[in-house]
């Protein structure tokens, strides 16, 4: 008898990033959909990785990560977030942020536990919660009157927190909207969860890309929230190397101990030469992370300058390398259909916002990735100018 498969993820299909990237490739379209830069990592970094590949850095790394890399991350966290983490017990290197998110969720969520996510929410959260037997509760972010600022709707959030809430997943700087957290937001978050049994998983992969003189406020910065937080970051965004799949998780020692129980059997350890190269680079060059916001602000300004010639409505993104546009003056087609049609007919791929939401409250909005060279961005926008 042939056994039958009962899917553990019956509602999961192929991710929108894969769908749009494949469609863009099939159509020869400019791919402003999936978020990856068209720039190379710094030479000084790839040189160090190459050196380690050639000089014996090719066997298993320690389960928690190479000590030198954990030290460098601890130093960066002290410098930028004023949090002195213990590199031995509070920093773990993981296989991209995706593994950090997954391992945290598996470590913390038991069957029946509720996990709050804010829509639009990154697509890996809910399937990871489902695999842990948890229940995902979607709380929509609120859209400000000018349509730009997606912030936490505190009343809806407060209403969603109850005795079953085990984890709250937040993501600021926010993909796809570019929203960021203020100091007051962190205090408010602490107020809401203070008397609950909830922990926080803070996805901070865009930690170094914040514009207009604003700063990124990590949950690691906040004394009270830090005690309950897993902060997950990715070198893929920071070093123009999304294909490397290396990130890290910061958490207080008791939380890290639980995280590592899962991490060691999800992946055990992360690529050794990459870690050794990153450790050398971070120890010798402290400036790259600090310059990233200025680099991407120039990209954003260039892209938004070009967008002025279109009928898209938009407010310049406040962070990340994504720009949201509202196409309501051009079309009333659904965002998914339109993103696909424009990929085929206009030759520019984007991501529809509704796919990140349980209930599509985001209207006529698309996300463009502006981590591309200026000529590509100019050409992409030119194709929309006639609409
Ligand atoms: N979280 C968010 C919000 C992301 O945008 C991404 C990837 N772009 C990830 C997590 C996953 O990061 P990684 O590629 O390091 O696994
Ligand atoms: N995080 C990237 C984005 O938002 C894509 C990651 C992926 O393709 N899974 O575009």
């Amino acid at each position: 008898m042939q056994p039958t498969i009962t899917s553990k993820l019956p509602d999961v299909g192929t991710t929108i990033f894969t769908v749009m990237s494949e469609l863009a490739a099939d159509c020869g379209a400019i791919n402003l959909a999936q978020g990856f830069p068209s720039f190379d990592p710094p030479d000084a970094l790839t040189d160090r990785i190459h050196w380690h590949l050639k000089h014996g850095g090719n066997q298993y790394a320690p389960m928690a990560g190479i000590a030198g890399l954990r030290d460098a991350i601890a130093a960066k966290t002290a410098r930028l977030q004023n949090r002195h983490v213990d590199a031995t017990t509070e920093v773990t290197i993981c296989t991209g942020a995706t593994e950090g998110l997954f391992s945290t969720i598996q470590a913390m969520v038991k069957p029946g536990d509720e996990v709050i996510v804010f829509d639009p929410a990154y697509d890996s959260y809910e399937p990871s919660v489902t695999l842990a037997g948890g229940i995902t509760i979607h709380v929509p972010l609120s859209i400000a009157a000018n349509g730009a600022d997606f912030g936490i709707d505190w009343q809806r959030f407060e209403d969603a927190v109850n005795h079953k809430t085990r984890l709250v997943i937040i993501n600021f700087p926010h993909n796809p909207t570019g929203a960021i957290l203020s100091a007051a937001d962190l205090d408010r978050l602490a107020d809401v969860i203070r008397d609950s049994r909830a922990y926080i998983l803070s996805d901070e992969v865009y930690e170094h890309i914040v514009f207009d003189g604003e700063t990124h406020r990590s949950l690691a910065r906040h004394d009270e929230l830090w005690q309950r937080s897993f902060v997950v970051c990715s070198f893929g965004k920071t070093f123009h190397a999304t294909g490397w799949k290396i990130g890290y998780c910061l958490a207080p020692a008791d939380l890290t101990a639980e995280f590592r129980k899962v991490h060691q059997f999800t992946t055990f350890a992360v690529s050794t030469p990459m870690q050794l190269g990153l450790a050398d680079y971070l120890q010798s060059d402290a400036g790259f992370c600090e310059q990233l916001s200025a680099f991407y602000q120039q990209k954003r300004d260039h892209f938004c300058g070009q967008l002025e010639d279109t009928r898209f409505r938009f407010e310049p993104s406040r962070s990340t390398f994504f720009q949201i546009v509202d196409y309501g003056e051009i079309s009333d087609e659904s965002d998914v259909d339109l993103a696909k049609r424009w990929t085929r007919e206009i030759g520019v791929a984007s991501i529809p916002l509704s796919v990140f939401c349980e209930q599509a409250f985001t209207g006529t909005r698309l996300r463009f990735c502006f981590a591309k060279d200026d000529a590509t961005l100019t050409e992409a926008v030119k194709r929309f100018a006639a609409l």
Side-chain angles (χ1 to χ4, degrees):
M1 192 186 77
Q2 179 69 19
T4 49
I5 297 172
T6 314
S7 178
K8 296 183 83 171
L9 296 171
D11 301 326
V12 169
T14 306
T15 82
I16 190 70
F17 307 115
T18 305
V19 169
M20 294 310 296
S21 280
E22 283 180 3
L23 186 61
D26 288 350
C27 303
I30 298 173
N31 189 355
L32 303 189
Q34 191 179 26
F36 60 89
S38 66
F39 332 109
D40 289 327
D43 282 343
L45 170 55
T46 47
D47 287 351
R48 289 314 300 159
I49 293 167
H50 189 242
W51 191 90
H52 286 291
L53 276 165
K54 291 288 193 186
H55 292 85
N58 296 302
Q59 308 311 327
Y60 288 129
M63 179 272 278
I66 298 278
L69 182 54
R70 286 186 281 127
D71 288 342
I73 291 167
K76 178 167 85 73
T77 307
R79 193 171 75 242
L80 299 180
Q81 299 298 342
N82 200 24
R83 169 70 49 201
H84 293 269
V85 294
D86 183 323
T88 309
T89 58
E90 299 185 323
V91 183
T92 309
I93 311 301
C94 44
T95 309
T98 307
E99 191 254 314
L101 297 165
F102 186 81
S103 293
T104 302
I105 292 166
Q106 302 315 310
M108 298 309 292
V109 177
K110 290 186 175 163
D113 284 343
E114 291 187 358
V115 178
I116 295 177
V117 303
F118 294 95
D119 284 357
Y122 186 63
D123 66 345
S124 82
Y125 306 153
E126 180 157 12
S128 308
V129 171
T130 306
L131 287 175
I135 299 156
T136 304
I137 306 295
H138 294 259
V139 176
L141 292 175
S142 61
I143 305 182
N146 65 0
D149 192 17
F150 287 73
I152 293 179
D153 181 332
W154 292 105
Q155 192 55 55
R156 288 181 90 147
F157 175 42
E158 262 181 66
D159 292 347
V161 175
N162 64 46
H163 66 282
K164 291 193 206 142
T165 310
R166 192 50 161 167
L167 200 60
V168 177
I169 305 181
I170 65 169
N171 165 221
F172 295 96
H174 186 244
N175 175 11
T177 69
I180 56 175
L181 285 181
S182 67
D185 288 327
L186 291 183
D187 290 339
R188 190 83 193 260
L189 181 58
D191 287 345
V192 176
I193 64 159
R194 185 165 298 127
D195 297 323
S196 76
R197 58 191 276 276
Y199 287 84
I200 301 180
L201 170 51
S202 183
D203 176 347
E204 302 184 10
V205 300
Y206 300 100
E207 58 178 334
H208 298 302
I209 312 177
V210 179
F211 308 134
D212 305 319
E214 302 265 16
T215 38
H216 165 57
R217 287 185 184 77
S218 173
L219 282 245
R221 194 185 274 244
H222 194 280
D223 286 340
E224 186 180 345
L225 289 171
W226 165 246
Q227 300 307 323
R228 304 183 177 214
S229 292
F230 296 81
V231 174
V232 170
C233 301
S234 173
F235 291 119
K237 315 295 164 187
T238 300
F239 292 121
H240 310 319
T242 59
W244 290 1
K245 298 298 293 183
I246 300 190
Y248 56 93
C249 176
L250 310 175
D254 51 342
L255 279 61
T256 291
E258 291 305 313
F259 177 89
R260 288 182 184 171
K261 288 180 190 172
V262 178
H263 163 77
Q264 68 180 343
F265 296 119
T266 304
T267 189
F268 181 64
V270 176
S271 168
T272 304
M274 307 301 274
Q275 289 196 61
L276 290 167
L278 280 162
D280 290 353
Y281 181 76
L282 280 171
Q283 281 160 6
S284 67
D285 181 343
F288 192 88
C289 301
E290 281 88 337
Q291 287 156 20
L292 202 60
S293 290
F295 173 81
Y296 274 118
Q297 185 162 331
Q298 182 275 327
K299 290 280 155 212
R300 180 204 63 174
D301 291 347
H302 173 79
F303 189 56
C304 288
Q306 306 286 309
L307 284 174
E308 296 287 352
D309 296 334
T310 69
R311 289 163 69 210
F312 290 132
R313 274 181 286 130
F314 63 94
E315 287 290 324
S317 179
R318 299 172 71 191
S319 68
T320 74
F321 44 58
F322 301 117
Q323 176 65 48
I324 299 292
V325 301
D326 186 331
Y327 61 81
E329 284 181 16
I330 304 174
S331 170
D332 57 8
E333 208 170 329
S334 87
D335 60 353
V336 175
D337 290 348
L338 194 65
K340 289 181 180 166
R341 188 162 70 75
W342 277 350
T343 305
R344 286 191 297 267
E345 295 177 6
I346 290 183
V348 183
S350 57
I351 296 286
L353 240 62
S354 62
V355 299
F356 300 113
C357 307
E358 183 182 50
Q359 285 166 1
F361 69 104
T362 46
T364 48
R365 289 187 170 82
L366 297 174
R367 186 196 83 176
F368 290 117
C369 170
F370 56 77
K372 309 290 167 191
D373 60 79
D374 288 357
T376 302
L377 296 174
T378 303
E379 174 56 29
V381 179
K382 206 165 87 189
R383 299 185 185 185
F384 289 110
L387 293 175

